[in-house]
């Protein structure tokens, strides 16, 4: 069993009044929060737009449905649509923003690596996958369209928007649809190239109907940033040839630990508890998610959104920050070691760091003085960097948590996604904040639309 592990060895310092005893004293409140999370799905009704607790039972539900009625359930639909895209196109563009793209983007990075799209088709596990619709950056879009215009083969378009009204994604959809229509005229019908993932309401449903495009649903009761394990993340993952069942099984395994383990052995409750203690007792309100592999930078960014949008309310909530080490030890390391004591660092560490086979060559002349490393692997050097950095922070009573993944695969990633979603909700309960919804984001949207409408009518 490949379980992710939470290592709290350097998370407690009696000198700073945060100890395992404090975590145990928080246990009754954590237990109360756990009960709330367990009961929330029973309290859900479609009439409560800012209450989306159904991400919690979702992994088991989706797996059970798949086992009962293979082919016709949500997973069956995901496999069917992914299979068709994998057979028919060499390139897929995914349009979405926030929770409608960050999970899929994190999965691409984690499981396929940074150069996947550059590989020839024979060495890829599926079509190339690009993302857009997460900004209104004309230069980025123009560059990607230029790449697509050089394609002789048809390409596919997956548009993901729960509301269907998000301006960034909607504008991109018009632009990419136009390009796709021009292409599709050469290569067949649009319905073979477009897939829509949306909520039960909103204009995208009509659009799917109009183009006879397959439509998958963002399940009701699951909010954008909690939707990575629904078709929102699973379809792009399946297009990439990832094992989506293992992703869900990982999440279900984390659910079991969350439901069964006591404080002190429960990764969700312990993580939420330690973060909460440092924030409330010591004013440590910056959460650094430090990935010790480039592959998990996307996961860190996904967590940025999860934490910021869920808990950044009512003038509360910690500030997330993603770092990639050792890269960022050369930019942020100084501040993390000696700056304000306002940071709690979570290290995302691979127990078996990749790069065992890549070794430092020996030179007959030791011109750069590195022969003491000859024959050592990248993995050895990375392990020393993690240990050395944690020691340095601990020596200065700066707290770190290690979240260890035995391997980087779909099963361990499913665990991490679910663990972080659950612990964010538990923290929300401890703070008395509704972790669902993002009412503050409406303000910029309303202003932007007003400004654009005024500009359109010549008022600006
Ligand atoms: O977490 C959320 O709900 C948001 O970040 C949304 O995912 C984001 O705003 C995109 O919304 P939509 O999927 O409706 O386009």
């Amino acid at each position: 069993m490949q379980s992710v592990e939470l290592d709290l060895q350097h998370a407690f310092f009696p000198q700073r009044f945060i100890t395992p005893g404090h975590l145990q004293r928080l246990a009754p409140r954590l237990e109360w929060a756990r009960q709330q999370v367990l009961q929330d799905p029973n309290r859900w009704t479609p009439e409560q737009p800012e209450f989306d607790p159904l991400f919690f039972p979702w992994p088991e539900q989706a797996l059970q449905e798949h086992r009962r009625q293979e082919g016709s359930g949500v997973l069956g639909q995901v496999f069917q649509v992914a299979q068709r895209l994998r057979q028919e196109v060499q390139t897929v563009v995914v349009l979405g923003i926030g929770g409608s793209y960050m999970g899929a983007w994190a999965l691409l990075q984690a499981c396929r690596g940074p150069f996947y799209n550059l590989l020839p088709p024979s060495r890829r596990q599926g079509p190339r996958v690009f993302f857009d619709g997460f900004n209104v950056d004309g230069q980025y879009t123009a560059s990607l369209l230029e790449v697509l215009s050089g394609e002789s083969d048809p390409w596919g378009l997956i548009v993901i928007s729960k509301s269907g009204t998000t301006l960034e994604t909607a504008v991109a959809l018009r632009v990419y649809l136009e390009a796709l229509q021009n292409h599709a005229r050469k290569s067949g019908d649009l319905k073979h190239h477009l897939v829509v993932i949306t909520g039960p309401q909103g204009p995208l449903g009509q659009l799917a109907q109009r183009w006879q495009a397959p439509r998958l649903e963002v399940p009701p009761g699951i909010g954008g940033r909690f939707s990575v394990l629904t078709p929102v993340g699973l379809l792009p993952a399946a297009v990439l040839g990832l094992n989506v069942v293992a992703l869900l099984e990982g999440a279900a395994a984390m659910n079991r630990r969350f439901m069964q383990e006591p404080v002190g052995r429960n990764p969700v409750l312990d993580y939420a508890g330690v973060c909460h203690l440092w924030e409330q007792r010591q004013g440590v309100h910056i959460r650094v998610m430090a990935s010790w592999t480039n592959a998990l930078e996307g996961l860190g960014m996904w967590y940025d959104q999860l934490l910021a949008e869920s808990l950044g309310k009512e003038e509360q909530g910690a500030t997330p920050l993603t770092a990639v080490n050792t890269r960022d030890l050369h930019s942020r390391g100084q501040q993390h070691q000696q700056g304000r004591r306002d940071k709690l660092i979570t290290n995302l560490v691979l127990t078996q760091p990749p790069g065992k086979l890549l070794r430092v060559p020996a030179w007959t002349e030791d011109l750069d003085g590195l022969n003491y490393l000859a024959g050592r692997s990248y993995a050895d050097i990375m392990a020393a960097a993690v240990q050395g950095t944690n020691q340095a922070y601990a020596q200065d009573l700066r707290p770190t948590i290690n979240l260890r993944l035995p391997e980087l695969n779909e099963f361990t990633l499913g665990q991490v996604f679910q663990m972080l979603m659950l612990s964010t909700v538990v923290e929300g309960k401890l703070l008395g904040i509704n972790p669902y919804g993002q009412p503050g984001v409406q303000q910029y949207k309303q202003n932007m639309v007003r400004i654009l409408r005024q500009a359109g009518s010549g008022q600006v």
Side-chain angles (χ1 to χ4, degrees):
M1 175 80 166
Q2 294 181 315
S3 296
V4 303
E5 292 304 335
L6 195 66
D7 163 10
L8 298 176
Q9 190 193 352
H10 295 304
F12 299 112
F13 295 115
Q15 303 91 320
R16 300 203 58 208
F17 313 106
I18 307 284
T19 64
H22 288 95
L23 183 61
Q24 285 307 326
R25 284 203 279 286
L26 193 64
R29 287 189 59 213
L30 286 166
E31 185 53 51
W32 166 83
R34 167 159 61 182
Q35 291 310 319
Q36 296 287 309
V37 178
L38 298 185
Q39 287 159 23
D40 276 351
N42 304 326
R43 294 192 264 251
W44 178 81
T45 60
E47 292 77 40
Q48 306 168 79
E50 302 217 323
F51 183 52
D52 297 316
L54 300 191
F55 80 93
F56 165 49
W58 169 260
E60 288 86 347
Q61 279 171 8
L63 286 168
Q64 276 164 18
E65 182 195 60
H66 181 57
R67 284 176 196 131
R68 269 200 318 268
Q69 36 173 312
E70 194 158 341
S72 58
V74 176
L75 280 193
Q77 282 179 313
V78 165
F79 290 138
Q80 219 176 6
V81 175
Q83 180 68 1
R84 224 208 46 229
L85 283 172
R86 286 167 63 78
Q87 279 164 358
E88 292 186 2
V89 302
Q90 288 292 338
T91 301
V92 171
V93 179
V94 178
L95 302 181
I97 192 167
S100 287
Y101 103 99
M102 298 196 82
W105 180 60
L107 282 167
L108 167 65
Q109 284 188 15
C111 297
R112 292 291 179 246
F115 305 117
Y116 169 81
N117 282 339
L118 298 180
L119 291 171
S122 59
R123 294 180 51 206
R124 273 192 259 117
Q125 292 90 337
R128 301 188 295 176
V129 174
F130 295 101
F131 292 89
D132 200 350
F134 55 80
N135 203 342
V136 272
D137 179 338
Q139 193 182 18
Y140 178 95
T141 299
S143 308
L144 183 49
L145 285 170
E146 199 179 324
V147 170
L148 296 170
S149 70
E151 297 271 297
S152 52
D153 294 325
W155 45 279
L157 185 62
I158 302 177
V159 57
I160 309 177
S161 175
K162 181 170 179 174
S163 61
T165 57
T166 302
L167 194 67
E168 290 87 338
T169 308
V171 166
L173 180 60
R174 280 206 177 195
V175 170
Y176 280 89
L177 261 184
E178 193 174 80
L180 189 56
Q181 273 172 304
N182 292 336
H183 210 304
R185 254 176 233 129
K186 286 185 258 160
S187 52
D189 216 333
L190 197 61
K191 70 180 176 216
H192 295 302
H193 301 270
L194 176 67
V195 180
V196 170
I197 304 181
T198 192
Q201 274 125 32
L204 279 185
Q206 283 167 5
L207 192 129
Q209 227 173 2
R210 164 74 179 76
W211 296 109
Q212 295 176 295
R215 172 192 170 166
L216 303 181
E217 197 176 50
V218 184
I222 301 185
R225 58 191 174 276
F226 294 89
S227 68
V228 54
L229 300 174
T230 72
V232 171
L234 296 185
L235 181 66
V239 168
L240 286 163
L242 300 185
N243 184 345
V244 301
V245 169
L247 269 169
L248 289 165
E249 283 172 343
M254 183 54 68
N255 274 350
R256 284 193 293 280
R257 292 175 75 186
F258 169 61
M259 289 187 285
Q260 292 164 6
E261 298 285 358
V263 172
R265 282 212 312 267
N266 187 311
V268 173
L269 297 181
D270 294 358
Y271 189 63
V274 170
C275 291
H276 183 76
L277 283 171
W278 278 102
E279 189 180 332
Q280 296 298 304
R281 293 177 65 89
Q282 292 290 330
V284 170
H285 56 82
I286 295 183
R287 302 276 171 79
V288 181
M289 187 60 85
S291 169
W292 291 84
T293 161
N294 296 352
L296 291 178
E297 184 169 18
L299 182 86
M301 301 298 290
W302 169 85
Y303 182 62
D304 272 9
Q305 186 210 352
L306 179 69
L307 186 66
E309 273 195 349
S310 301
L311 304 185
K313 294 167 186 159
E314 301 173 30
E315 303 188 4
Q316 296 193 70
T319 301
L321 194 156
T322 294
V324 175
N325 289 339
T326 64
R327 183 189 75 188
D328 294 345
L329 293 179
H330 296 258
S331 55
R332 297 201 172 111
Q334 165 62 35
Q335 189 182 45
H336 294 176
Q337 182 73 50
Q338 292 186 329
R340 285 178 200 277
R341 291 185 178 275
D342 55 4
K343 292 168 210 69
L344 171 58
I345 296 176
T346 300
N347 294 303
L348 288 171
V349 186
L350 300 180
T351 312
Q352 304 280 344
K356 279 244 172 291
L357 298 176
L358 212 52
R359 293 182 182 278
V360 181
W363 282 358
T364 35
E365 264 188 290
D366 194 11
L367 290 175
D368 56 3
L370 277 191
N371 266 356
Y372 78 101
L373 287 178
R376 305 291 294 274
S377 68
Y378 266 54
D380 291 340
I381 299 172
M382 185 57 103
V386 177
Q387 211 185 337
T389 309
N390 274 353
Q391 271 173 18
Y393 292 151
Q395 279 156 4
D396 199 43
L397 308 182
R398 293 184 181 255
T400 52
I401 295 172
N402 291 327
L403 185 53
R404 293 190 189 280
L405 285 72
E407 251 183 46
L408 193 50
N409 59 35
E410 293 89 337
F411 184 65
T412 56
L413 285 167
Q415 292 174 62
V416 174
F417 279 125
Q418 194 75 355
M419 177 196 143
L420 293 174
M421 290 191 285
L422 284 168
S423 64
T424 302
V425 174
V426 168
E427 264 200 86
K429 304 278 180 197
L430 295 177
L431 291 169
I433 284 179
N434 175 16
Y436 306 110
Q438 55 284 339
V441 182
Q442 298 312 322
Q443 213 162 329
Y444 103 84
K445 288 185 189 169
Q446 282 160 8
N447 289 348
M448 180 168 73
V449 170
R450 178 179 42 76
I451 292 164
L452 286 168
R453 283 191 189 281
Q454 283 170 355
S457 63
Q459 288 177 38
V460 168

